[in-house]
Amino acid sequence: MSTPSSAVPAGPGPLSAMLLAAGRGERMRPLTDTTPKPLLNVHGRALLDWHIAALQRDGVNALIVNTAWLGDQIPQHLDAYWPALADAGRLRYSHEGRDFGHALETAGGIARALPMLGEAFWLAAGDVFAPDFVFDAGRARAFAASDDLAHLWLVPNPQHNPGGDFAFEESAPASGTGRPLNVGKDQPSAFPRYTYSTIALLKAGLFRAPWCDIAPGNPDGVAEPLVALLRRAMDAGRVGASLYEGRWTDVGTPQRLAQLNAEWMVPLSRC
């Protein structure tokens, strides 16, 4: 298999973003039998469109979206909804389903798309609703200049994940920043636990040895989750984190989607 090409031009910071949209969405069935989960609507707008509107608002104008399940629907929708981005070549795709017949999971999918991304970039899952999140350019530049390989945004634990994902040692309480810790859910910790929001800043170096053993561009279609890479980097003190307490929902079930659509809210203005 050939690997994607045409990397985003280097700039003063991470000006690109990868949106994860390849998953099957088993828990969302029957809704996802005919519609990819990231194209399900919240308040009249597809989940992916909420992210893209926020990224555009905050100056991130080079986007890579991976696809697999019902993957042809995603470019059909996005290219029509965001024609200026598509026409300018700023909205591109990594078609895992076409290339390999299946999704490559998080790390595998990012590794596959890496030739289209810069050395540092935003990551967001297409099935998460976080309308208040700011893709802050200053934070991105600071991350790009740091030694960290990843910076995660953590949220208070939702009902479906009461034990959280990572312990968090808050080093700057005024800004809610610190270090996530590789502490298992069954291990005691002196620090509180939070859930990973699936929004992050990442560096391409996280997908190279010794953190990752997937070949550049993932030509073999290796499917691998991101969490193992993050835990290795955490153990080396190379991952930062911030607390995020704005609106956030992992739209993982039809019930959560229905609840979101039943709530009144002021939509984000279209960019």
Side-chain angles (χ1 to χ4, degrees), residues 14-19 55 60 62-65 117 121-124 135:
L15 303 179
S16 60
M18 182 165 184
L19 299 174
L55 286 159
V60 183
L63 310 176
I64 291 84
V65 183
L117 295 160
F121 54 92
W122 288 100
L123 178 77
F135 294 90

Side-chain angles (χ1 to χ4, degrees), residues 183-245:
V183 179
K185 291 188 178 184
D186 57 347
Q187 296 177 291
S189 173
F191 301 100
R193 299 184 61 88
Y194 292 90
T195 293
Y196 169 41
S197 70
T198 67
I199 300 173
L201 283 160
L202 300 178
K203 285 188 182 160
L206 182 63
F207 301 89
R208 303 179 186 125
W211 323 105
C212 180
D213 57 6
I214 299 175
N218 199 0
D220 299 321
V222 176
E224 184 174 331
L226 180 62
V227 65
L229 280 62
L230 291 174
R231 291 189 184 280
R232 290 173 200 142
M234 284 177 196
D235 286 341
R238 302 281 301 275
V239 181
S242 295
L243 296 181
Y244 174 67
E245 297 184 301

